Amino acid sequence: MKITVCIGSSCHLKGSREIVNSLEEFLITHNLKDEVELSGSFCMDHCMEGVCVKLNNQIFSLTPRDTEKFFNDEILRRLYK
């Protein structure tokens, strides 16, 4: 599974660093560092809502407050179907 977080200027201002830090913590806590690739990317052309996060090929717009719910609902659900 691959997660890409936009770290471009607009997303950076909306909290992309906090999202990356939270995702890293959740991956470590759940012992998933070997199963999930977390990376950053510059603009993904979805700047209008929140921080752009791509999970495999699906785009999500997150805020730092949404990160734990996103992790539980999208990442864990897909890994433990």
Side-chain angles (χ1 to χ4, degrees), residues 2-70:
K2 182 173 183 174
I3 304 168
T4 306
V5 179
C6 179
I7 56 171
S9 57
S10 177
C11 287
H12 175 74
L13 293 173
K14 295 175 187 171
S16 64
R17 179 176 297 215
E18 291 173 69
I19 291 172
V20 168
N21 290 341
S22 293
L23 289 172
E24 285 178 333
E25 280 183 37
F26 297 142
L27 291 173
I28 291 167
T29 299
H30 291 274
N31 199 27
L32 296 173
K33 292 286 284 183
D34 293 333
E35 295 183 52
V36 178
E37 178 185 343
L38 180 60
S39 64
S41 173
F42 288 104
C43 190
M44 292 190 252
D45 295 324
H46 292 274
C47 304
M48 297 308 293
E49 295 169 29
V51 175
C52 184
V53 177
K54 186 188 294 188
L55 176 57
N56 295 327
N57 290 317
Q58 188 175 0
I59 300 288
F60 295 86
S61 291
L62 300 181
T63 67
R65 289 184 312 272
D66 302 333
T67 308
E68 186 171 12
K69 182 173 179 9
F70 168 77

